[in-house]
Amino acid sequence: PSSPAERKERQLRETLLKMYSLAQKYYQDLLWKAPGGKEALNYLLKRGITKQTIMDFGLGYALHSWEGLTGELRKKGLDLKLAVKGGLVGEKPPGRFYDYFRGRLIFPIGDSQGRVVAFGGRILGQGEPKYLNTPESPLFNKRRILYGLHRALPEVRKKKEALLVEGYMDVITLHQHGIKEALAPLGTALTETQFSLLRGRLDKIILAFDADTGGEIAALRGLELLK
């Protein structure tokens, strides 16, 4: 039997998963319906991503607003303190909540079962950082996640092979073109935990990172881990 602490932890995770599911639908809706979403949609279409692929990967858009998702969660009567703990929104004391992602193209990040546990956001236009991930939370540790894993697993098992690339767009483009064994670490620093998600499922891993210094360093470190 589980202890009270374990039950509480499980309930926390289940509540956060529901919040993330709601947030993903909210962001996805904005991509297709909000005036600002048009810029994000055009960016994807110009990159050669089809509307069907955009839908399949559940891509979305975050408004240029401090209280878009925050207002949506509040409207649903959800606990914003818990949303902060889950990395969905930020908080400035005392009790002032704000949207973590603003004016960004949103990439839902799933666990090995495909449940949304985090988001990646790409800025449109000028600004830093170019990519922003959800902070670490009870659901999300970027060292333990491979982007696209749940989509790639059937092909990985079938081919006994995985193709590790650098980013969200690489994975999405490759899947669209039928290379469905593609997945990516969140950032180029590969970890033993990420490789352990694939161990026993395949015979070969191909590393295809960007042809720059960062990509080369990451590939060499990845080879050491693979050995």
Side-chain angles (χ1 to χ4, degrees), residues 5-219:
E6 286 169 336
R7 284 197 296 274
K8 189 178 177 183
E9 179 69 21
R10 188 167 63 242
Q11 191 174 10
L12 168 71
R13 290 176 62 84
E14 284 170 3
T15 305
L16 286 175
L17 284 168
K18 283 177 188 169
M19 282 189 181
Y20 267 98
S21 178
L22 186 150
Q24 188 271 321
K25 290 184 180 76
Y26 169 76
Y27 286 137
Q28 187 174 28
D29 227 29
L30 289 173
L31 179 70
W32 298 98
K33 295 176 182 174
K38 193 174 179 185
E39 184 188 355
L41 195 54
N42 286 340
Y43 167 80
L44 290 166
L45 296 172
K46 279 178 187 170
R47 290 286 299 267
I49 308 300
T50 65
K51 289 184 177 180
Q52 186 58 55
T53 301
I54 293 167
M55 291 294 290
D56 289 346
F57 279 82
L59 305 185
Y61 172 71
L63 297 170
H64 282 282
S65 166
W66 291 91
E67 291 202 345
L69 179 62
T70 306
E72 189 71 10
L73 295 174
R74 191 181 277 119
K75 206 191 310 176
K76 303 275 184 189
L78 295 167
D79 183 349
L80 292 180
K81 284 275 187 191
L82 186 58
V84 172
K85 191 172 183 179
L88 271 171
V89 301
E91 182 182 13
K92 285 181 181 174
R96 290 175 59 199
F97 302 98
Y98 63 91
D99 281 19
Y100 189 72
F101 295 102
R102 300 178 303 280
R104 288 178 182 265
L105 172 62
I106 298 293
F107 299 86
I109 298 167
D111 63 9
S112 58
Q113 296 173 53
R115 301 173 301 185
V116 179
V117 295
F119 295 110
R122 188 196 193 283
I123 201 159
L124 297 164
Q126 300 302 309
E128 290 293 334
K130 184 176 173 184
Y131 282 96
L132 183 69
N133 283 338
T134 297
E136 304 268 309
S137 78
L139 293 180
F140 177 60
N141 179 331
K142 69 179 181 180
R143 296 174 63 81
R144 299 172 180 271
I145 296 271
L146 284 167
Y147 179 71
L149 179 64
H150 68 288
R151 295 177 183 281
L153 271 180
E155 196 72 6
V156 166
R157 289 191 184 108
K158 189 170 125 191
K159 287 189 173 178
K160 295 283 183 189
E161 187 176 295
L163 173 63
L164 278 180
V165 293
E166 199 159 307
Y168 307 118
M169 290 297 291
D170 297 331
V171 171
I172 292 167
T173 304
L174 287 163
H175 276 251
Q176 180 175 295
H177 288 275
I179 303 168
K180 296 183 185 291
E181 67 274 22
L183 28 80
L186 300 177
T188 48
L190 284 158
T191 68
E192 268 191 65
T193 312
Q194 287 169 331
F195 280 136
S196 73
L197 296 170
L198 300 169
R199 191 175 287 127
R201 304 177 191 270
L202 41 65
D203 302 320
K204 185 197 284 186
I205 294 177
I206 299 164
L207 303 181
F209 294 147
D210 290 356
D212 56 21
T213 306
E216 285 181 12
I217 290 168

